[in-house]
Amino acid sequence: MGTVVDDAASVEFHAFFERHYNELARLAQLLTGEPDTADDLAADALLALWHRWDRVRAADHPVAYARGVVANLARTRIRAAVRERRRITLFWSQREDRAENPDVPGTVDVQEALRRLPFRKRACVVLRHAFDLSEKDTALALGISVGTVKSQTSKGMTELKRLLGTEEASVRVRAGVLPLGGAGGRDR
């Protein structure tokens, strides 16, 4: 059901793609430093251009627009990689605390109660109380706002108090998570 205009736009886009794909991939590689990612970013940029081809081809400098799309995608990719590295660092490179005589039944109770919390509440509680991260560091690790950390931690602690039947839930979380698993203990 293509029209002459659609066919002409398709031919024009195909010619644009052939002329500029390698340049856009090279730009992506230079911006990210990742040769494997460069082709994906160039392809993603060109797909975005195709969806807006009417506007792009009417622009004064379509290639400049395409370069801007690649740069934005590369920036997003770099930011995501930095966030991921920070999360890994915050989660796994903390201290290796171990208790000499852990309260195994208490630890099992705390870990079971934590498993019953939704992931975000659980992550906020564990990072804040077991790892002693600040609200800001917790927010950074989880990619959420400080306000969300505050509310999810508060709600998570309230739920833990209900599940554990104690007002000392934060002490039990710290004591219950670190002795058996250390800082690297994972939810199995």
Side-chain angles (χ1 to χ4, degrees):
M1 201 172 118
T3 64
V4 175
V5 175
D6 290 340
D7 291 340
S10 178
V11 167
E12 187 179 350
F13 177 79
H14 183 74
F16 182 88
F17 180 97
E18 291 295 323
R19 263 193 323 270
H20 299 290
Y21 177 81
N22 288 334
E23 172 194 346
L24 296 174
R26 193 174 76 233
L27 173 63
Q29 180 178 351
L30 291 171
L31 292 175
T32 64
E34 300 174 2
D36 297 339
T37 303
D39 285 331
D40 292 340
L41 289 178
D44 289 347
L46 286 162
L47 179 62
L49 293 175
W50 172 245
H51 289 296
R52 295 176 190 86
W53 187 243
D54 289 341
R55 280 187 268 159
V56 174
R57 72 188 232 198
D60 291 336
H61 304 285
V63 176
Y65 185 85
R67 290 180 189 131
V69 172
V70 169
N72 286 333
L73 289 172
R75 179 181 18 249
T76 299
R77 169 92 176 144
I78 291 166
R79 285 180 178 165
V82 167
R83 277 193 307 273
E84 184 63 21
R85 281 188 218 114
R86 286 180 182 157
R87 286 182 186 132
I88 290 169
T89 299
L90 287 172
F91 277 120
W92 306 119
S93 71
Q94 297 290 325
R95 61 194 178 268
E96 282 287 332
D97 292 343
R98 296 224 181 247
E100 295 218 5
N101 296 314
D103 174 9
V104 175
T107 299
V108 171
D109 290 346
V110 170
Q111 290 180 346
E112 180 56 36
L114 283 169
R115 277 189 204 92
R116 293 177 66 188
L117 294 178
F119 176 78
R120 186 177 283 178
K121 287 180 187 173
R122 180 181 351 145
C124 288
V125 167
V126 169
L127 290 173
R128 291 283 294 129
H129 293 282
F131 286 85
D132 289 326
L133 291 184
S134 68
E135 290 167 342
K136 182 180 175 185
D137 287 341
T138 301
L140 183 63
L142 298 176
I144 58 178
S145 72
V146 172
T148 300
V149 169
K150 289 178 182 180
S151 70
Q152 292 295 294
T153 302
S154 174
K155 290 173 184 176
M157 289 305 294
T158 300
E159 184 67 13
L160 281 177
K161 287 174 188 175
R162 186 185 67 72
L163 292 169
L164 296 171
T166 178
E167 288 296 313
E168 301 168 4
S170 65
V171 173
R172 289 189 67 188
V173 168
R174 180 163 178 67
V177 174
L178 293 178
L180 284 181
R186 294 184 180 102
D187 185 21
R188 294 178 220 281

